């Protein structure tokens, strides 16, 4: 039996569309040995590893998505954003309140990564060194939040004696950290958000910019992984095209349906790779 690692990556809410790969694996009765989640796709990774069905996971994705679509401004931080405060800046605060933390705590309670049914890693960035860091133990909710905490909008989290933020800052497709893993096959999603961001809100515009910028800077590392990894790597490109909807849930469903088509187009290649 081949040792299979699934890497779910995706910046902003587009990362939720990686649930389509979870659906595909369930449909074909395939259970990966390891799941790696990066940025918003870390939430999907946590749901998958915890044993939720795709239908249950999609319902929870909708709930979290709606929370993200209703951000609350942290007025204290916003007031001092352009004016240095007299006392030290509070690293636990950012431009937006981290309400999403409570959503993750509600869903995962005090459960820890070590107890998940599938070995799971959450990809983050050490903001003091800029290096990628995989969270392999501890609170699931904290790890998912850290992996998706995009500065300066959401504050970093202090875990394992490190200040950690979104994984996309160090690698949008976290393959480099897997060089020491004994995987026969790595199947990874690569989100390409084609939205016309001049029509989107600033947070969407910013996350798209960060994704594009760090994707370019990650290219040499991705090529290095291909050279050094002795076994097969299959990257599934997921293209999310732009469509305006007044209802945010319709926008989410549209992205997921586009991703579902992309996965189905690669269905035979995925199955052949896993044989």
């Amino acid at each position: 039996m081949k040792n299979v690692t699934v890497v779910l990556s995706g910046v902003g809410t587009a990362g939720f569309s990686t649930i389509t790969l979870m659906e595909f694996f369930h449909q074909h009765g395939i259970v990966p040995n390891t799941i790696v989640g990066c940025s918003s796709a870390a939430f999907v990774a946590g749901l998958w590893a915890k044993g939720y069905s795709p239908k249950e996971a999609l319902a929870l994705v909708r709930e979290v998505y709606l929370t993200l679509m209703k951000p609350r401004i942290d007025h204290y931080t916003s007031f001092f954003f352009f004016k240095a405060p007299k006392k030290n800046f509070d690293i636990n605060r950012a431009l937006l309140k981290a309400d999403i933390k409570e959503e993750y705590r509600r869903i995962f309670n005090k459960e820890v990564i070590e107890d998940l049914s599938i070995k799971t890693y959450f990809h983050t960035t050490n903001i003091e060194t800029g290096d990628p860091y995989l969270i392999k133990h501890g609170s699931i909710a904290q790890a998912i939040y850290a992996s998706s905490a995009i500065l300066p909008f959401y504050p970093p989290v202090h875990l394992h004696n490190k200040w950690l933020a979104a994984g996309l800052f160090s690698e949008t497709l976290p393959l480099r950290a897997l060089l020491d893993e004994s995987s026969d096959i790595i199947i990874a999603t690569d989100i390409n958000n084609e939205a016309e961001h001049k029509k989107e809100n600033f947070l969407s515009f910013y996350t798209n910019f960060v994704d594009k910028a760090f994707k370019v800077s990650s290219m040499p590392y991705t090529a290095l992984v291909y050279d050094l990894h002795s076994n097969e790597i299959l990257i599934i490109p997921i293209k999310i095209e732009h469509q305006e909807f007044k209802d945010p849930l319709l926008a989410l469903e549209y992205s997921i349906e586009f991703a579902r088509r992309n996965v189905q187009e690669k269905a035979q290649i995925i199955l052949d790779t896993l044989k």
Side-chain angles (χ1 to χ4, degrees):
M1 185 68 69
K2 292 182 178 179
N3 189 304
V4 179
T5 293
V6 170
V7 178
L8 303 178
S9 69
V11 65
T13 52
F16 293 143
S17 65
T18 59
I19 197 171
T20 54
L21 188 61
M22 175 186 176
E23 290 174 345
F24 181 86
F25 270 64
H26 273 257
Q27 288 167 5
H28 294 276
I30 304 166
V31 179
N33 301 88
T34 306
I35 302 174
V36 180
C38 178
S39 296
S40 55
F43 180 54
V44 177
L47 296 174
W48 189 348
K50 193 176 183 300
Y52 283 104
S53 69
K55 184 177 180 180
E56 293 168 331
L58 184 55
L60 290 169
V61 163
R62 291 189 184 109
E63 291 177 17
V64 165
Y65 181 77
L66 285 177
T67 299
L68 288 171
M69 291 297 100
K70 299 174 183 177
R72 292 192 302 137
I73 295 173
D74 187 322
H75 293 287
Y76 175 87
T77 306
S78 300
F79 178 77
F80 288 119
F81 193 72
F82 295 107
K83 181 180 178 182
K86 293 181 180 179
K87 55 184 179 180
N88 292 334
F89 174 72
D90 186 354
I91 197 171
N92 293 293
R93 305 179 77 157
L95 292 177
L96 300 177
K97 292 183 179 292
D99 296 332
I100 195 63
K101 270 187 181 180
E102 295 307 314
E103 281 291 287
Y104 294 147
R105 286 178 185 142
R106 176 181 65 83
I107 294 166
F108 294 98
N109 296 308
K110 296 181 180 180
E111 295 175 79
V112 293
I113 298 168
E114 300 93 307
D115 293 338
L116 289 171
S117 59
I118 301 173
K119 183 168 65 174
T120 307
Y121 304 149
F122 297 97
H123 179 250
T124 66
T125 300
N126 183 331
I127 65 171
E128 294 175 310
T129 65
D131 294 323
Y133 181 75
L134 287 181
I135 300 178
K136 301 181 179 181
H137 61 89
S139 165
I140 300 170
Q142 286 276 70
I144 291 173
Y145 172 78
S147 184
S148 57
I150 299 177
L151 296 169
F153 299 99
Y154 294 100
V157 62
H158 194 252
L159 287 174
H160 307 169
N161 295 316
K162 298 174 178 63
W163 283 104
L164 303 173
L168 67 92
F169 288 119
S170 54
E171 215 172 355
T172 56
L173 190 61
L175 297 176
R176 186 176 21 153
L178 297 176
L179 284 174
D180 294 332
E181 296 295 314
S182 57
S183 302
D184 299 315
I185 300 168
I186 295 175
I187 297 179
T189 59
D190 186 20
I191 301 289
N192 183 15
N193 195 337
E194 297 293 335
E196 297 176 26
H197 288 277
K198 62 184 178 181
K199 296 180 182 179
E200 300 286 331
N201 60 48
F202 181 76
L203 181 56
S204 174
F205 176 87
Y206 176 79
T207 54
N208 178 69
F209 160 71
V210 169
D211 178 47
K212 294 291 190 293
F214 283 95
K215 189 169 286 186
V216 171
S217 64
S218 295
M219 283 180 180
Y221 295 115
T222 302
L224 179 64
V225 172
Y226 269 105
D227 289 339
L228 297 180
H229 196 277
S230 58
N231 296 298
E232 196 158 4
I233 299 175
L234 174 62
I235 295 180
I236 303 170
I238 295 179
K239 181 180 179 182
I240 308 296
E241 294 190 2
H242 174 72
Q243 182 70 37
E244 290 188 9
F245 293 97
K246 291 183 179 180
D247 184 344
L249 279 180
L250 287 179
L252 175 65
E253 298 294 344
Y254 183 82
S255 296
I256 289 174
E257 185 54 37
F258 245 95
R260 194 173 282 126
R261 291 181 209 166
N262 293 160
V263 171
Q264 287 303 321
E265 287 169 2
K266 298 287 184 181
Q268 196 55 53
I269 296 174
I270 298 171
L271 294 174
D272 290 343
T273 301
L274 293 171
K275 285 182 180 176

